[in-house]
Amino acid sequence: MTTDTTTKDTTPGAAAPGETVLDARGVTMRFGGLTAVRGVDLTVGAGEIVGLIGPNGAGKTTFFNCLTGLYVPTEGEVRYKGNVLPPKSFKVTAAGIARTFQNIRLFANMTVLENVLVGRHTRTKEGFWSAVLRGPGFHKAEKASRDRAMELLAFVGLDHKAEHLARNLPYGEQRKLEIARALASEPGLLLLDEPTAGMNPQETRTTEELVFAIRDMGIAVLVIEHDMRFIFNLCDRVAVLVQGEKLIEGDSATVQGDERVVAAYLGEPFENAPGAEEAAEVEAAEAHAEPTTDAAPGKENDR
């Protein structure tokens, strides 16, 4: 992975220092009579890396889906830079939030470069007739998009594989490509859903360095991960979800030292544990829930 001054200094979506980028208030998501996420508050500030952890079925990916317009929260609201987000994923992307998924979602039969160019569509201004007529404006915009895509591929270390088919990349490089495609929309906030899942220690370390570099570009990051060493090394703050509710939020030392967090990961009951009796039912409801938009194919099962 490499970074250059041009890429770092030209991130249009970057927030001003001290600005609250994400402000989720009382986010609740119900599937029928079951509650998967209950009254979760979470903020992410400019220049922050915030972690979201919890046992399997805690509602982490459901919460991500509420933030990105795949689900419309039953209650609560999500604000990006002070503005309430629209309940459509493509509009959320246009507003300045990008994400990756638990299960890699690349266009397998397109090249590496073409995959990143797809991510540029929310930032291009050329319309239908410009594309049909292919005038000077179209060619100028096409070149600018290509140049930016190559910058991002260089940033994640994949520029030498720009013409390779995405399906032929090793697993770790496919993860990098998905991040590059997300960055192509020039976000101010990047949501990473288990970015190191299935990686070996060397790949995990490389991903950690990449996330720090993204933060240094001025992009705030919210990350779900089960690798606790990765999370606690990476994040400024960590929030813990247990059965849909936020149990605790704080720095790494505070979260690691909380007995309730240890008990939740070991599967041991603790006093006033949230929604313990509904856990299995909620997991089943999440597995069968349909996204509210057709912008992203398939379904997400929370881990």
Side-chain angles (χ1 to χ4, degrees):
M1 180 201 70
T2 59
T3 57
D4 58 46
T5 303
T6 302
T7 302
K8 182 176 178 178
D9 292 344
T10 56
T11 306
E19 182 179 4
T20 297
V21 178
L22 176 73
D23 185 4
R25 306 178 185 179
V27 173
T28 297
M29 186 68 207
R30 297 190 182 95
F31 300 102
L34 302 175
T35 303
V37 176
R38 187 192 308 271
V40 175
D41 298 330
L42 187 69
T43 62
V44 181
E48 273 196 308
I49 302 174
V50 177
L52 186 64
I53 66 172
N56 289 341
K60 302 181 297 295
T61 294
T62 297
F63 182 64
F64 258 35
N65 289 343
C66 290
L67 299 182
T68 55
L70 288 176
Y71 295 158
V72 178
T74 309
E75 297 174 13
E77 66 177 20
V78 181
R79 291 178 178 267
Y80 175 72
K81 295 184 178 180
N83 299 314
V84 177
L85 287 171
K88 295 289 184 181
S89 59
F90 70 93
K91 292 184 178 179
V92 171
T93 302
I97 296 179
R99 72 170 293 179
T100 64
F101 292 85
Q102 285 181 2
N103 302 313
I104 296 173
R105 295 186 178 186
L106 296 173
F107 295 98
N109 293 321
M110 293 171 63
T111 68
V112 168
L113 176 59
E114 288 168 343
N115 267 273
V116 180
L117 287 172
V118 168
R120 292 286 304 165
H121 77 279
T122 59
R123 300 296 172 227
T124 56
K125 306 300 182 183
E126 299 302 303
F128 172 77
W129 289 111
S130 176
V132 170
L133 299 174
R134 293 181 173 267
F138 172 82
H139 289 293
K140 182 178 179 180
E142 188 176 44
K143 182 180 185 303
S145 289
R146 185 182 180 88
D147 290 346
R148 180 58 178 161
M150 288 302 299
E151 284 181 10
L152 291 170
L153 287 175
F155 176 70
V156 301
L158 291 178
D159 50 321
H160 63 295
K161 293 189 175 182
E163 300 305 323
H164 291 212
L165 290 180
R167 68 184 181 191
N168 293 334
L169 294 182
Y171 177 83
E173 291 185 348
Q174 289 189 20
R175 286 282 184 190
K176 287 183 180 180
L177 176 55
E178 193 174 35
I179 291 173
R181 186 178 62 185
L183 293 174
S185 66
E186 308 293 357
L189 173 65
L190 177 63
L191 277 59
L192 302 174
D193 196 345
E194 299 194 27
T196 68
M199 289 187 176
N200 61 41
Q202 181 178 353
E203 291 171 330
T204 297
R205 176 60 183 167
T206 299
T207 301
E208 181 180 311
E209 293 173 352
L210 176 58
V211 176
F212 280 132
I214 291 169
R215 188 270 312 277
D216 291 343
M217 291 166 61
I219 299 172
V221 180
L222 177 60
V223 55
I224 292 173
E225 188 52 71
H226 282 292
D227 185 331
M228 294 298 99
R229 179 176 295 179
F230 174 79
I231 278 287
F232 292 132
N233 285 342
L234 186 73
C235 296
D236 302 299
R237 287 185 290 118
V238 177
V240 183
L241 288 189
V242 176
Q243 293 159 4
E245 295 186 44
K246 188 170 75 173
L247 180 65
I248 187 175
E249 179 181 344
D251 60 26
S252 296
T254 300
V255 171
Q256 290 181 81
D258 193 290
E259 294 181 356
R260 296 171 300 169
V261 175
V262 176
Y265 272 94
L266 292 176
E268 298 175 358
F270 56 90
E271 187 176 358
N272 297 322
E277 70 283 354
E278 296 182 348
E281 296 174 86
V282 168
E283 285 193 66
E286 288 176 332
H288 292 90
E290 293 287 348
T292 58
T293 172
D294 58 1
K299 301 176 184 175
E300 285 296 309
N301 296 319
D302 192 58
R303 295 187 176 187

